[in-house]
Amino acid sequence: MSTRTRTEPSDTKQAGVARRSAPDGIPEIADPLSVSTVDARTLSASLFKRLATLEEGTAEYSYVRNTLVELNLSLVKFAARRFRSRSEPTEDIIQVGTIGLIKAINRFDAERGTEFTSFALPTIVGEIKRFLRDTSWAVQVPRRLQELRIDLARARDQMEQHLGRCPTAAELAAHLGITDAEVAEGEQAANGYIARSLDAPVDEDDALSALTRGLGNEDPAFDVVEAVASLKPVIASLGERDRLILSLRFGEELTQSEIGARLGLSQMHVSRLLAAIYARLRAALLDEASS
C-alpha cells in the first residue's frame, strides 16, 4: 500500500479523535493520516461495511469510526480551502468541518452505493457555512436580524433546489410565514455580515477585490435609471392589464407561467403579451434617443 510522509502531526488533535490499539478482528492502521487518498477510499469502503455490523457505543465501533475520521480528514481540508479568504482562523474552520465529517460518517449508508466523498463534502461545507453565518458579523446587528438572515439563507437554498431557480421575496415570505418587509429587512441586515477596508491589499483570487477595481469607473446602472425615467410616460399610457403584467414580471419577479396562473391566462398568451409590451417600450426608447 502506498503512503506519503506525514508532515502535520497536529491533525489528529484537530480531528478531535484519539488513537488506540485496534480491537481483535480489525486490522491495525498505524497512521491513518499518512495513507494516500486512493488507499484511504479503499480502506474507508471496507471500514464502513465493518461499521454497519458493530454496535454503537462499543470500543470496536469507536475505533472504526475514529479511523474513518482520520482517513478522510483531507476532505475537511479540501472544503476549508474554499473559505481561506475569511477572517476566521483556518484551525477553527477545520475543527467545525471535522464535526461535519463526523456527522456524514454517522449518516452514511454504504448500501446505497453512493461514493462517500460525494456524500460527505456537502455536509462538511454546510457545517462550515452555518458556523460562518453565526459568527462572521462585521457590524453588530440585533440577534433577531441575525437569526432572520440565517432562516432566509436556509429557505433560499431549500426553495432553489425545489423550484430550480432563485425564489422571489414574496415566495420566501410565504414560505417562512413573514411579511415582504421582514424579508427586505433580513436581506438588508446581511450587509453587515462582512466588511472590508478599502485600504486592504487587492487579492486577485478574492471576489471582493472587484469593488476596488471598479472604483472610479462609470456605473452602468446610470443608463438603466435614465431608461426607466424615459419609459415612465410610456408605461403610464399602457392599459391596466399590461401595467399589471409588467409589475408581476419585474416587481414580483414571477415567471410567465405564474403570471398566467394569477391572471387566468395561458403561458403562451402571457409570452405574446410581454413581447408586444417590450416592442412598444423599445420603440419608445428608440424614439427618445433619436429625438
Side-chain angles (χ1 to χ4, degrees):
M1 181 179 296
S2 62
T3 59
R4 59 178 173 82
T5 302
R6 181 181 178 185
T7 58
E8 297 169 299
S10 63
D11 287 343
T12 304
K13 182 179 180 181
Q14 289 177 341
V17 295
R19 298 298 302 148
R20 64 177 66 180
S21 299
D24 294 339
I26 299 178
E28 177 79 33
I29 303 176
D31 190 1
L33 295 173
S34 68
V35 177
S36 69
T37 303
V38 175
D39 290 337
R41 290 182 179 179
T42 304
L43 287 169
S44 294
S46 300
L47 289 173
F48 271 118
K49 292 180 180 179
R50 184 60 185 270
L51 189 67
T53 66
L54 299 174
E55 182 179 353
E56 187 173 355
T58 62
E60 292 83 358
Y61 184 95
S62 297
Y63 176 85
V64 173
R65 191 184 69 166
N66 290 349
T67 303
L68 281 168
V69 171
E70 292 182 305
L71 282 172
N72 293 279
L73 193 62
S74 60
L75 294 177
V76 177
K77 296 178 181 178
F78 175 79
R81 283 200 294 270
R82 294 179 52 181
F83 306 93
R84 61 182 180 273
S85 62
R86 307 301 292 266
S87 58
E88 285 74 13
T90 302
E91 293 78 6
D92 291 352
I93 294 178
I94 290 178
Q95 190 74 31
V96 173
T98 303
I99 295 175
L101 174 62
I102 294 173
K103 290 182 177 180
I105 291 172
N106 291 341
R107 300 170 184 169
F108 183 65
D109 184 359
E111 296 297 326
R112 294 185 177 182
T114 306
E115 182 76 25
F116 177 67
T117 301
S118 303
F119 177 83
L121 273 176
T123 305
I124 295 170
V125 172
E127 195 71 26
I128 294 174
K129 284 184 176 180
R130 279 189 289 273
F131 165 73
L132 295 176
R133 287 172 184 170
D134 288 339
T135 61
S136 301
W137 289 89
V139 178
Q140 186 61 38
V141 299
R143 180 65 183 176
R144 175 182 66 85
L145 293 181
Q146 293 185 29
E147 294 175 350
L148 177 58
R149 178 193 176 279
I150 295 172
D151 291 341
L152 284 171
R154 289 174 179 170
R156 184 177 287 105
D157 291 343
Q158 294 172 0
M159 295 183 69
E160 188 170 355
Q161 293 180 2
H162 178 70
L163 298 174
R165 58 173 175 81
C166 185
T168 64
E171 289 170 337
L172 283 170
H175 180 78
L176 294 174
I178 59 179
T179 65
D180 291 353
E182 288 175 310
V183 172
E185 189 179 19
E187 292 178 342
Q188 185 177 9
N191 294 332
Y193 185 55
I194 288 182
R196 179 168 179 155
S197 171
L198 293 178
D199 296 327
V202 176
D203 182 357
E204 292 299 328
D205 294 330
D206 192 344
L208 291 177
S209 64
L211 172 65
T212 56
R213 291 197 299 270
L215 291 177
N217 294 340
E218 183 176 348
D219 192 340
F222 288 140
D223 293 336
V224 177
V225 173
E226 184 178 355
V228 171
S230 301
L231 286 174
K232 278 186 177 181
V234 185
I235 294 176
S237 67
L238 294 175
E240 181 179 353
R241 185 180 66 175
D242 288 348
R243 292 198 304 271
L244 176 59
I245 290 175
L246 282 178
S247 175
L248 294 175
R249 182 68 184 91
F250 297 102
E252 297 188 25
E253 299 181 352
L254 299 184
T255 64
Q256 293 181 3
S257 298
E258 291 169 337
I259 294 173
R262 182 80 65 89
L263 301 181
L265 304 173
S266 68
Q267 182 270 333
M268 186 63 69
H269 192 184
V270 173
S271 177
R272 287 195 294 266
L273 290 174
L274 282 171
I277 295 171
Y278 296 158
R280 184 171 178 180
L281 296 178
R282 188 180 302 109
L285 277 179
L286 293 174
D287 290 343
E288 178 74 16
S290 61
S291 61

